[in-house]
Amino acid sequence: LQHYFIQSNLSFMASTLTQSVPGTGIRDSGDFKQLNINRNILKKYDEKIISTVKQIFYIILDDWMYNYKKLYTANHFSSLFERILDLVTRKKVLDFMLPGFPAKSSNDVRKVLGTTVDFGEFIALRTLMRTARKLEKIYKHGVLITILSDYHTFDHYVGVEEEVYQEYHAGLKNMIAGMGGETTFRVVSLSSFPEFRNTPTCSLSRKLYSDYGPEGFAGNFDELIKEDEAMLERYKQMKKFMTTDLATRLPSSSPNSKTNKRFLKNVVVGMMAQGAALDSFLRQQKMLVDYIRISIHAHHPSKGKFAVDLFGSCLGTEEHILRTPWHHTVMLDTEGDVFVVGWKQDLLNREDDSSFITTVYFEGNPWLLVRVVLDAKSGFELNDEDLSIDLIKQGCGMIIKNTSENPDLPSSVIHQATMTSLIKHFGLVVLKGFRPFTSEEDLFTQYHAHSPHGAIPWEHGPVHKVRFDNSEPGIVNRRGPLPLHWDLAFPPRYMGVNQSQHRYEDFTPREFLLYCHRNSQEGRKGPTTFVDAAGVALSIPGNLARKWEKIELTYETKLIDRKRSAAEDRSRTGAEDRSRVGVDDKSRVSVEAPSKHTNMNMNASAESQKSLYMGGRGNTFSYPLVMDCPWTHQPVLRWQQSWTRSENPNSVQEVSYKIRKSSGKSSSVSESDLEAEVRKMAFNDRFYLKYVAEEGDQVYVNNYTTLHGREAFTNERELWRVQLVPPTTNVPEYFREMGKKFYSKH
């Protein structure tokens, strides 16, 4: 009913609860046994159906339900369980109907960033979509989230023009498409229903009230609130809320004038009447049937409207209310690595002497706020006017430009905590226009401190020069393209990585830096390609997700011309010590491998010596096709693009994989079919992007949530790469030994 005011927190206490709520997950716990459901009725259902319903029920409780575990146990949601049971028994689509997403608040001075959709809507939709994907995996008959945009219920009262709503509505649909959610979401409005199909948009709200509204509501309102204390309380709350919401639209400049009071009373009474008309219509209409009603208002769950927390784990400036993206702004507080949701002005007030708050833009529109923490040790000052920040995709890829007049501004002025948080949440962060690194050692000294264990100590040193060098083995230092991959998927043998002892997050770099040392203007520049692997995983529909989650891939990469590689290896052995890498004649960043690792390398085959960076024949590693990211704890695609001689005749290296199910059994899916399916999703423009680095660019990459590759280049191109040791306690022994030896010298 009250789509434009925030209902106060429920006044009753949880003292009526008979026991504490157990942990999350699929369970036969005490709180389920206390559901107010007739046990004799349950006995008539198949055990498999009850098991599926319980799984669905607890996923919804844990992911969506507001105040679950704070004020409510599962017992309070008995009607939700019964509704799910009914739909599952009849093999119906699980359709969750949510009225909301009308338009942004008209108060873009205090409350919201602008009039278009932004990162608030993105997080809200992602919250809904993540849960839908979980449900699709266990329920094959489908999951749908129907958003009923209710702008035309209240359009005469909220101070938002029709053309502004239309832009918002179109933006919402585009955002859903950009997430790959076209089959998950259905967006409707009053015009979608047969009862309003021929009604002009300017007359929709009036027709809604005339056909379904409470008769005489406005004329008898004063008498109604005298007799109904609950209605009086709702009126007061809504009037207070709308006073702020319409602060820039009030007819009088004097806030407490009689003119404004009369105006606000008419607005609130009209909106309450319209809300009642909408509820009446939804009970009578026949287009939407067999749905579960979810809401952005804090209804008691016994009422049959189940309150959804669209922002989940995000902090709020007002913890006692449900927040909505059309009335609030999102800020990433990088110091605490947390998203905070509140009114824009309240968030801006969180700025202090050690930080500033700036706006991030996407396609020219304000998208979210970021609190940037400064590093006092840098000796430089910075404010929001000195940076411009833009997103490349709606949820991935960030470009931060130094817009100050100081080209000597070092990137170290941005605190490490800020950089880590941005890399974690946006996958790719590019710093442009900051002071260039003067040497590899300069680069290494600044970046290795971002991990408690420092940088990956490759046998050739921690800084890898990615440039054309025909004497180097493999494809990385050729001019040709690179397949999509993630770094250190093939740890060389000398690192001693054993997947029976080391987890993925024990040896895989969480992040790495690509610094563009040179990228000349002549010739083809060879952009670096990236894939939002978290976005791809979220877009995987249920039928495909059920198949992919059982797949594990065993990868191998090998040099194609073994004779040539061996000859090249012999020619290089005497010319350069493989345990060292030179920076220049005057400055050297080098590392000597411990003797046992050096001996291990000396006894290896010529091919494995020549494949130190990307594996080698027989050096196989296995990974699930889709796994939970150990950093963000959300599903991500883990896929190394197949790279064969037939597709890439000029390549000197192949990458291949074999499919097996996670149970160890063989899979009925062929490698070629899987490759085609994955490529179709990974190379989709929604998640695939190219970036041409310019000299001095610092490209920071989340190695867990993205994939990267390269297009061919013909120009003079040189990138310096440093990868960080993951921050775990079970890093391979080689990392510790090499790290100690190296850092004692540097």
Side-chain angles (χ1 to χ4, degrees), residues 494-738:
Y494 65 77
M495 288 187 175
V497 174
N498 187 332
Q499 286 192 294
S500 65
Q501 300 173 9
H502 302 111
R503 301 168 301 170
Y504 163 86
E505 59 266 33
D506 291 332
F507 64 89
T508 307
R510 193 172 72 173
E511 62 175 90
F512 64 88
L513 166 61
L514 284 172
Y515 174 68
C516 184
H517 176 63
R518 181 183 299 110
N519 201 4
S520 65
Q521 297 298 319
E522 299 79 15
R524 185 176 178 182
K525 291 187 175 183
T528 305
T529 58
F530 294 96
V531 171
D532 176 8
V536 172
L538 182 62
S539 73
I540 301 172
N543 60 337
L544 197 57
R546 286 191 293 272
K547 180 173 65 173
W548 282 15
E549 70 177 356
K550 300 175 182 179
I551 291 178
E552 187 174 281
L553 303 179
T554 299
Y555 293 94
E556 182 179 19
T557 179
K558 56 188 178 182
L559 298 177
I560 294 175
D561 188 350
R562 299 186 64 189
K563 292 182 179 180
R564 177 187 173 191
S565 298
E568 288 177 349
D569 191 29
R570 287 192 296 271
S571 68
R572 291 182 68 249
T573 302
E576 182 179 355
D577 183 346
R578 289 185 60 83
S579 67
R580 292 183 173 273
V581 58
V583 179
D584 52 43
D585 293 337
K586 298 180 180 180
S587 175
R588 178 177 294 272
V589 177
S590 63
V591 59
E592 295 180 1
S595 59
K596 65 177 181 179
H597 296 296
T598 303
N599 291 337
M600 181 185 300
N601 180 53
M602 289 173 64
N603 294 330
S605 68
E607 181 180 88
S608 65
Q609 288 186 47
K610 293 300 296 179
S611 307
L612 288 177
Y613 188 74
M614 288 189 68
R617 186 182 297 272
N619 191 28
T620 61
F621 285 84
S622 299
Y623 303 94
L625 179 59
V626 178
M627 68 164 65
D628 282 343
C629 171
W631 197 5
T632 64
H633 308 292
Q634 295 299 331
V636 292
L637 178 71
R638 293 291 81 182
W639 169 66
Q640 297 268 333
Q641 183 182 356
S642 176
W643 202 252
T644 63
R645 189 198 303 258
S646 59
E647 283 189 302
N648 306 279
N650 295 323
S651 180
V652 298
Q653 190 170 358
E654 287 187 328
V655 179
S656 61
Y657 56 76
K658 296 292 184 183
I659 300 175
R660 66 174 186 176
K661 290 190 176 181
S662 55
S663 61
K665 299 179 181 179
S666 61
S667 173
S668 58
V669 183
S670 71
E671 283 80 5
S672 59
D673 288 345
L674 178 66
E675 183 73 10
E677 286 182 333
V678 179
R679 287 188 184 189
K680 183 178 180 180
M681 301 192 73
F683 286 101
N684 190 300
D685 286 341
R686 291 182 285 203
F687 313 112
Y688 181 78
L689 63 95
K690 303 177 184 179
Y691 182 75
V692 178
E694 298 178 346
E695 292 183 8
D697 284 2
Q698 303 172 33
V699 182
Y700 297 83
V701 182
N702 185 330
N703 196 40
Y704 290 169
T705 63
T706 66
L707 303 172
H708 64 282
R710 182 187 69 208
E711 291 189 357
F713 65 96
T714 60
N715 67 332
E716 294 299 316
R717 178 185 187 271
E718 182 175 327
L719 305 180
W720 296 348
R721 186 203 319 258
V722 178
Q723 302 149 322
L724 297 184
V725 176
T728 71
T729 58
N730 188 40
V731 296
E733 181 184 1
Y734 169 85
F735 289 1
R736 289 195 298 270
E737 289 188 16
M738 289 284 279

Side-chain angles (χ1 to χ4, degrees), residues 389-407:
I389 307 181
D390 294 274
L391 283 179
I392 303 173
K393 300 288 186 182
Q394 58 187 5
C396 178
M398 177 176 285
I399 298 178
I400 303 176
K401 294 181 181 179
N402 171 17
T403 55
S404 73
E405 297 180 356
N406 182 10

Side-chain angles (χ1 to χ4, degrees), residues 48-49 72 124 157 203 222 246 288 310 330 379 382 440 548 574:
K48 290 184 179 180
I49 291 179
Y72 309 129
Y157 303 103
S203 303
D222 290 341
L246 295 175
L288 301 179
L310 296 175
V330 175
L382 197 66
E440 293 176 49
W548 282 15

Side-chain angles (χ1 to χ4, degrees), residues 45-46 163 202 336 369 425 599 691 701:
Y45 293 100
D46 183 86
E163 56 270 23
C202 61
L369 300 176
H425 294 291
N599 291 337
Y691 182 75
V701 182

